[in-house]
Amino acid sequence: MPPVFSKETDKIYIINSSRKGQGRTSPCENACPLGNPIQKMEREIAAGNVKQALRVIRASNPFPGITGRVCPHPCEDRCNRGQYDEKISIRALERYVADSGAACRDVFVPAPASGKKVAIIGSGPAGLACAFYASLLGHVVTVFEAAPVAGGVPRQSIPDFRLPKDVVDREVGMVLALGVRILTNVEVGVDISLGEILRRHDACLVAVGNRRERRLDIPGIGKALPAVSFLKQSNLVRTGMDRKRVVILGGGGVAFDCAFTARRLGAASVDIVCLESRGAMRVPAAEIDQADAEGIPLHNNYLAAAIELDENGAPISVLADGVSGFCFDESGALKADLVPDDKLRLNADVVICASGLMPDLSLLDGACAQMAERTPCGCLKTRNSQTTVAGLFAAGECALGPALVSTAIASGRQAAFDMDRWLRGEELAPPIDAWIDEAGGIATARAKKAPSVREVAFEEIVNIGKHPRGARKQTSRLTAADTWLAFEELDKGFDSAGAQAEAERCLHCGHCQMCGECVASCPGLILAEGEDSPRVVYPDECWHCGCCRLACPGACISFKFPLHTFL
Amino acid sequence: MGRKGDVIFHDTDLLILGAGASGCAAALAAGGRKARVVLADKGRLESCGSLGGGNDHFMAILNTDAPGDDYETAINFYSTPSSGYSRSHVSQWLQTMPEMIGILKSLDIEFLHNPDGSFYRTTGFGQPGSWWTHINNGKFIKRRLAGAVRSTGVETLEYFQCTKLFTLDGRAAGAAGFNVLDGSFHVVRASSIVLALGRLAGRVSHNSSLNAFNSAFSPFITGSQIALAYEAGAELLTLDSEQEATLIPKGWGCPGMNGITSSGARGLNALNERYMGKYHPMMEVGPRCLLVQGTARELAEGNGPPFNLDLTHIDKDVLHHLQHDSMPGDKETWNDYCEQAGINFAEKPMEVELSELYINGIMRLRDNFETATVAGLFGGSMFHDLSGSSCSGYIAAGHALEAVGTGRPADKDWLLGEASAEKERVFRPLEVEDGISQQKFESAIRQVMNYYMGYVRSRKGMEAALAKLALVENNQADVMAANLHELMRAHESFHLLRTCQLATAASLERRETRFVYRRSDYPDQDAAYDGKMLIVSRGEAGPRLEWR
């Protein structure tokens, strides 16, 4: 009959599969692809322990400065507090912690050398996450990167005003500090064969991302710039676009990044042509606001029909047809309903096509790994991170398809532990728990059993009144007009007072914070304050009235009825 | 916080003992006025009392055109010669119902309404009208009521267990007790006292789970209302008649069977017979005491166990509301239990059992809710359920306020002198060594009650019970409590013992079968008892029992 309390954990988890002591948890933690201990981080921030918050977050995510800026925060979207006043600004808190501890190299202690050598192809979020944990697990790690810089998409394809490159380089440096080697300008399949890499290493991870750009099939498309190539170019070898008229085809995040970049490179005009209506665009509302503020027109409900070229073969305009609706058929092909006589013509000197990315696994060609099975969409098929070729692992977008940075990191992290078990000759299937032990090293254990964790719904928090209402704290944000450098970062993040106040707003759904309300509210007075959660001192005197649960401001209490009540 | 053994004196005009539905409503009636008010309970305002975990019904007669919904019908139903309620008592209750609904609505408690705007109401056990409104968010009631009480500025004395009422020259003078968390001892001087300690005394016997706390109604009410009033000299009624039991899910104590049976549940015995047809034409929705007697008789004859309540024939939407919205209003953990026990009204009958016994005594009150024999002592917790308890507390406090100032406050030194002997008695179990543990002492009471005071009784059995309860009482001075929690339970069991003794003595006097239990030596109803009440009060050498 007695209540069961779902507690905050004392452990600093890397991977928390068994959720010990946590029968209930928050939607935010469930929604995070990395399973970040969001509540624990917020509790440390609220208590002023930023250094501990950094340790907690870095254990599960080595790149919080990156995700704290670019993650589209599925956590925040599901935050229960949104049904009370406003959602918690979780991403900005992660960034605050990362920035506060940017100079802190005091991370975790690597395990003794295993004598095993691991190769990782690709230094993006998945590859480097795997490198970080594989190195901590005691393996010698070498990363092969085709580009001249390490860091993958965050380093090459995300503009500086969103993600400054020193942030990426510093977090890549955290990986290097463990002794990981990153060999840039080495393209596997060209400079060295995959077969050669496999021969020289005990295990290999393919984490090359989605590299091939998809192109619209319209006349003149050959003269359009692929969006990601344009962004890479702008990040690595920036050239001005003075007086150019730029038209961007596409309505996703990459299209907006291209538009803002072109604007900062001095383009005379920037236009976005996209299929979706203004309300249905797959970007945060803030992006649309920024486009408005920077004078970038959105031509919604248009499908590009052709790029008109001059006699020298250079673009002069973009033609587009109005659409009343569209869908994709089973094969992924677009079916659009055109509006007769609704034609759009935009003058253009430069056309940028942002139509998404596809896998490019040509590096496998000719190697013994060529027989590695693919998924229907062309990704590498994996089981416990391993491809169908023994010793060859895959993580990130080349295994998952299009994914968030955080999902790619999670996939690389998991691959490190799967690879480690494979190298040790252990079984791969059962999920594991991994955490930072008292000495600062990695400890692992097989997760006992699949946990049944209940996600707290807002309505379950009966004593919500315990939390004073308060608006979401805003980070300091600049508009383009306020900046002194063209590519200056716009979001300046929280100061410490703002971060602390925002972290204090957390409702701590499902994780007991020892407020004592339940103990005080038990009509039978059978509970007492305990070490890390309340204790049921007199279990046989529980009337299962649920007053404890009604008093709990975090819906942390469930009930498990004893045998005699079922007989 | 006080410290163990500290004596803390409180001076007030009105003391309300008990802060459940009744006490909180009393505080709302009395708070925010000139008089000083102290509201005391052994729990916390937000959760103490039967209402803590919620309630999904409020019984309201609203004088509409609906059949049986008029005051006259309700007064005739409740004010009977054996109920102990005068026409005036019931009439005041009826008039307070709309006001109480207004209070609950002002706290955003949601009542179910019909499309025409009238209250959605269903019929209770054996009643002549559809009087039971339905509440949607009943689990919020107690917390919000507590908030309203706190905002009146009433002084609260929480975690205070009352062990004694003081009287002087036939008038209430004050009360004493201890803080169950810190062990401080409190003396309250008050010439007006509302007793609102709860109507249904539990932990009298146990169900098949053998755990007395796993009960249909709150196990934290063990007869303080009866024992304190008796010791103070009040006259008690209905100890022989208003004993109560119900059906509960097999092995799990919870209230709410009213909602299930009134939704059309069919009670089935082991032979798959709808057995209640043998006992009352209204079958399962007849008087609750017959449901108990009928089930007990089936049990005795071997027609059960098992017993089942079958709802599978009922409309699925009705069942869904009942199982998922209504029942959790009465018992917050209902859904958790059903999930773990595999109970699903729509799919299969639910196994039930006859619950443990409850004892239910009220004080004999004048029309102003003041006891007939102790001036200044008023009765809250007089009527049944949320409606009855809250309204009676509200009414009693209104009258008690009027009485403030009519009597001279007792002398403080005299009161502290009396209290010092009480303090000695209260803390004694903490000092006893090599005695009897509080748990053993309490289960001894139930051992007697389970065996001799079941649903079939006889004179010889009850005489044996009285003798054995006396034997238990002889051990009272040896009860040990290891800490303040056990001390609280020890005093609960002292009140329980007194309540059981009085109820047993009273049942012995009723030589007929009319209510929840059957007298095997007097199996029929006896018209000689029509219009008679058994009055129990404290005499020179034990209880005085008198038919009037």
Side-chain angles (χ1 to χ4, degrees), chain A residues 430-566:
Chain A
I432 58 156
D433 289 332
W435 66 95
I436 302 298
D437 64 18
E438 280 169 16
I442 294 185
T444 61
R446 276 189 185 192
K448 294 256 159 27
K449 55 174 182 182
S452 100
V453 179
R454 176 163 175 106
E455 184 174 299
V456 170
F458 177 72
E459 305 72 46
E460 294 176 73
I461 308 173
V462 175
N463 191 9
I464 187 72
K466 175 88 175 164
H467 304 277
R469 282 184 200 268
R472 172 178 166 118
K473 303 286 175 291
Q474 298 301 324
T475 57
S476 156
R477 271 195 79 90
L478 304 182
T479 65
D482 306 322
T483 58
W484 68 284
L485 287 170
F487 279 82
E488 185 178 354
E489 186 176 23
L490 296 175
D491 191 338
K492 297 298 186 192
F494 279 127
D495 60 15
S496 63
Q500 200 161 347
E502 184 63 6
E504 282 169 1
R505 293 179 65 239
C506 179
L507 302 177
H508 289 287
C509 310
H511 294 188
C512 172
Q513 302 295 305
M514 299 281 289
C515 70
E517 285 283 317
C518 57
V519 175
S521 295
C522 173
L525 302 169
I526 69 163
L527 306 176
E529 308 268 353
E531 197 117 303
D532 54 358
S533 81
R535 283 182 305 132
V536 184
V537 189
Y538 299 95
D540 289 340
E541 297 177 6
C542 176
W543 185 45
H544 40 82
C545 61
C547 284
C548 50
R549 181 156 70 190
L550 298 178
C552 178
C556 305
I557 298 177
S558 36
F559 282 81
K560 188 167 185 291
F561 295 94
L563 184 59
H564 72 253
T565 62
F566 305 119

Side-chain angles (χ1 to χ4, degrees), chain B residues 2 8 10 23 60 66 68 160 209 242 280 299 308 348 488:
Chain B
I8 300 170
H10 307 260
F160 165 83
S209 75
E242 289 292 309
H280 195 272
L299 197 58
N308 280 284
K348 58 175 194 264
M488 168 180 76

Side-chain angles (χ1 to χ4, degrees), chain A residues 267-285:
Chain A
S269 67
V270 182
D271 290 79
I272 292 178
V273 176
C274 70
L275 265 176
E276 295 90 352
S277 64
R278 194 177 166 96
M281 298 183 78
R282 288 164 293 120
V283 291

Side-chain angles (χ1 to χ4, degrees), chain B residues 188-466:
Chain B
V188 187
R189 175 165 68 180
S191 54
S192 278
I193 299 176
V194 173
L195 267 196
L197 290 162
R199 188 172 154 273
L200 281 179
R203 305 219 305 261
V204 169
S205 61
H206 52 66
N207 56 44
S208 74
S209 75
L210 306 183
N211 180 335
F213 290 84
N214 180 20
S215 51
F217 304 109
S218 171
F220 307 116
I221 297 166
T222 56
S224 296
Q225 179 91 352
I226 294 166
L228 288 171
Y230 171 81
E231 301 292 344
E235 293 173 334
L236 298 170
L237 310 173
T238 72
L239 283 165
D240 54 324
S241 56
E242 289 292 309
Q243 293 167 28
E244 203 168 314
T246 184
L247 297 178
I248 56 170
K250 177 69 181 68
W252 194 67
C254 78
M257 292 300 128
N258 194 349
I260 294 179
T261 48
S262 67
S263 298
R266 295 173 179 154
L268 304 175
N269 63 15
L271 309 173
N272 232 21
E273 293 168 340
R274 199 171 170 194
Y275 64 93
M276 277 310 294
K278 300 181 209 167
Y279 307 99
H280 195 272
M282 286 172 80
M283 299 211 260
E284 295 84 1
V285 292
R288 194 190 292 223
C289 67
L290 288 186
L291 184 60
V292 173
Q293 262 193 37
T295 309
R297 182 169 289 229
E298 295 292 301
L299 197 58
E301 290 174 6
N303 296 337
F307 296 97
N308 280 284
L309 282 179
D310 185 1
L311 294 112
T312 53
H313 57 286
I314 295 169
D315 178 75
K316 299 287 177 272
D317 290 342
V318 171
L319 286 188
H320 191 271
H321 167 73
L322 183 64
Q323 176 150 12
H324 297 283
D325 304 328
S326 179
M327 290 298 295
D330 260 347
K331 188 82 184 188
E332 158 67 12
T333 56
W334 166 264
N335 283 334
D336 305 65
Y337 177 72
C338 287
E339 200 176 301
Q340 291 170 42
I343 292 175
N344 184 334
F345 288 163
E347 282 176 6
K348 58 175 194 264
M350 173 175 68
E351 189 181 350
V352 294
E353 66 172 298
L354 196 48
S355 80
E356 62 289 340
L357 181 73
Y358 292 83
I359 293 172
N360 189 344
I362 58 173
M363 296 182 285
R364 190 163 83 83
L365 302 182
R366 302 177 194 281
D367 283 346
N368 71 343
F369 285 59
E370 190 174 20
T371 53
T373 48
V374 184
L377 182 62
F378 293 81
S381 305
M382 279 293 288
F383 308 123
H384 65 81
D385 287 279
L386 171 58
S387 168
S389 56
S390 59
C391 291
S392 63
Y394 196 79
I395 299 162
H399 291 303
L401 267 188
E402 286 168 21
V404 165
T406 56
R408 209 161 48 96
D411 178 64
K412 182 179 175 183
D413 290 338
W414 171 82
L415 198 56
L416 287 173
E418 294 286 304
S420 118
E422 174 64 3
K423 184 184 168 201
E424 173 79 27
R425 183 188 77 88
V426 162
F427 291 120
R428 191 179 300 135
L430 292 173
E431 314 298 329
V432 173
E433 289 172 12
D434 296 331
I436 175 171
S437 77
Q438 165 270 318
Q439 293 93 335
K440 287 261 163 65
F441 178 81
E442 185 179 316
S443 54
I445 302 169
R446 274 191 293 279
Q447 188 180 342
V448 176
M449 296 301 285
N450 263 319
Y451 193 68
Y452 297 107
M453 283 285 282
Y455 301 106
V456 187
R457 305 171 190 169
S458 69
R459 179 180 63 85
K460 276 199 164 180
M462 288 189 280
E463 283 171 353
L466 281 177

Side-chain angles (χ1 to χ4, degrees), chain A residues 143-224:
Chain A
V143 182
F144 298 87
E145 169 58 53
V149 293
V153 166
R155 181 64 182 80
Q156 299 179 47
S157 312
I158 299 177
D160 295 71
F161 58 82
R162 192 184 300 288
L163 176 61
K165 293 302 150 315
D166 65 323
V167 172
V168 181
D169 289 345
R170 198 172 277 118
E171 294 193 331
V172 171
M174 296 279 302
V175 180
L176 292 172
L178 291 168
V180 169
R181 295 211 63 206
I182 303 180
L183 307 179
T184 51
N185 288 318
V186 179
E187 179 149 12
V188 177
V190 176
D191 301 309
I192 182 174
S193 73
L194 179 59
E196 180 69 15
I197 288 177
L198 286 170
R199 267 192 299 283
R200 288 172 175 272
H201 296 83
D202 298 296
C204 175
L205 177 82
V206 180
V208 294
N210 270 351
R211 300 193 295 170
R212 189 141 43 112
E213 301 214 48
R214 186 177 281 128
R215 285 189 169 190
L216 291 173
D217 185 15
I218 56 171
I221 194 70
K223 295 297 176 183

Side-chain angles (χ1 to χ4, degrees), chain B residues 159-170:
Chain B
Y159 306 114
F160 165 83
Q161 186 174 23
C162 183
T163 57
K164 174 107 181 148
L165 297 179
F166 298 110
T167 58
L168 186 59
D169 302 332

